[in-house]
Amino acid sequence: MREEFEALLATVREEEKDVVDAWLTEARLTDTGARRAAETEARDILSQLRQALENGGDPSRLDTAAWAPLREVLGDLSKTRAAKGQSAADTSMFLLALKKPLFSSLQRRLAANPEAMATSLWSLSTTVDKLAQHTVGIYQQAREEIIRRQQEELLELSTPVVKLWDGVLAVPMIGVLDSSRTQMVMEALLQKIVETGSELAIIDITGVPTVDTLVAQHLLKTVTAIRLMGADCIISGIRPQIAQTIVHLGIDLQGVRTKATLADALALALQQTGWRVSRDK
């Protein structure tokens, strides 16, 4: 082990409790529950730091195998805090709060050797900075994964495939229609057609704010896929503004039946599938 880390190893071996207490105080954790949870995290981090140093880990190379257990602990810390909605700054500042208690210990241990003290303090500072930076990277990955999962869940919720009648399905579209969303709608709708044996599907775009060339292409691709499955399709929700836009853009919807409202589309679907609904007088 490099000489500048010998004093650090001695500190985490012999002063763990004092370092943890000073660390939590420096992190300004006053809530009892938060302090208790942070104390467990702090002890785990110090334990893995001690083991890494005992195994000869070089703090300038935190990507080596000796530091793998500590990286894992820090990764779990970042993911847990990301799931709780805490910020990357909070997680990073918690790690950086470790500097002061370790600095104080090294200053006491190396007071008679100023040159060794300066080297040890600098090495310690860069090591803790790297650990904090590692938590930020893991935190960002965790948040991106949470956001991606939430987006997928929202897409599924915003594009439900519902059975309106025997043999008739409907997909109410709400919001912007892009490539990824169209693909999800297409897959869900085609799967539902297979499961239910439906003959007709209604795509309702009442909740789609605008229709441009790209949106129209997405709709036409979906209609084509539905027809390839042996079913037919009606597009409802064609408002006057959307009708004018489609005409101005020169979009060809020939062969695709359209209706102004979902009710009109359902009436047409029932008629086509041989159903007749009458009011009981």
Side-chain angles (χ1 to χ4, degrees), residues 59-158:
S60 65
R61 294 289 310 278
L62 295 180
D63 58 337
T64 59
W67 294 94
L70 179 56
R71 292 198 306 270
E72 184 177 350
V73 168
L74 294 178
D76 291 341
L77 170 69
S78 299
K79 292 174 184 178
T80 300
R81 295 192 170 209
K84 292 179 179 179
Q86 297 183 24
S87 68
D90 291 337
T91 307
S92 178
M93 290 303 295
F94 175 69
L95 261 294
L96 293 175
L98 175 59
K99 280 187 178 184
K100 187 173 180 179
L102 292 180
F103 274 23
S104 299
S105 177
L106 292 182
Q107 286 173 332
R108 290 195 305 271
R109 289 176 179 272
L110 300 173
N113 190 344
E115 183 176 351
M117 180 195 302
T119 303
S120 296
L121 292 178
W122 173 253
S123 298
L124 170 61
S125 180
T126 56
T127 298
V128 175
D129 287 344
K130 289 177 181 178
L131 296 177
Q133 187 177 19
H134 179 73
T135 64
V136 172
I138 298 298
Y139 179 94
Q140 290 174 338
Q141 294 176 9
R143 288 298 298 170
E144 289 172 0
E145 175 61 24
I146 291 172
I147 292 171
R148 184 192 61 77
R149 188 170 63 252
Q150 289 175 339
Q151 287 175 336
E152 291 179 351
E153 292 171 353
L154 286 174
L155 280 176
E156 292 176 359
L157 291 173
S158 63

Side-chain angles (χ1 to χ4, degrees), residues 137-241:
I138 298 298
Y139 179 94
Q140 290 174 338
Q141 294 176 9
R143 288 298 298 170
E144 289 172 0
E145 175 61 24
I146 291 172
I147 292 171
R148 184 192 61 77
R149 188 170 63 252
Q150 289 175 339
Q151 287 175 336
E152 291 179 351
E153 292 171 353
L154 286 174
L155 280 176
E156 292 176 359
L157 291 173
S158 63
T159 54
V161 180
V162 295
K163 184 175 181 179
L164 290 183
W165 203 268
D166 188 22
V168 180
L169 300 176
V171 181
M173 304 292 294
I174 301 174
V176 178
L177 190 61
D178 56 20
S179 299
S180 60
R181 190 173 179 201
T182 301
Q183 183 66 29
M184 181 173 291
V185 170
M186 189 184 300
E187 291 176 358
L189 184 53
L190 296 181
Q191 182 62 35
K192 200 70 173 180
I193 288 173
V194 172
E195 292 175 358
T196 62
S198 298
E199 305 170 17
L200 198 145
I202 300 172
I203 300 177
D204 182 63
I205 61 171
T206 304
V208 177
T210 58
V211 173
D212 54 19
T213 304
L214 186 60
V215 170
Q217 290 175 350
H218 291 328
L219 290 173
L220 289 174
K221 288 179 181 178
T222 304
V223 171
T224 301
I226 291 171
R227 287 175 173 171
L228 288 173
M229 295 296 296
D232 204 352
C233 182
I234 301 172
I235 298 178
S236 65
I238 305 295
R239 305 184 299 278
Q241 300 90 333

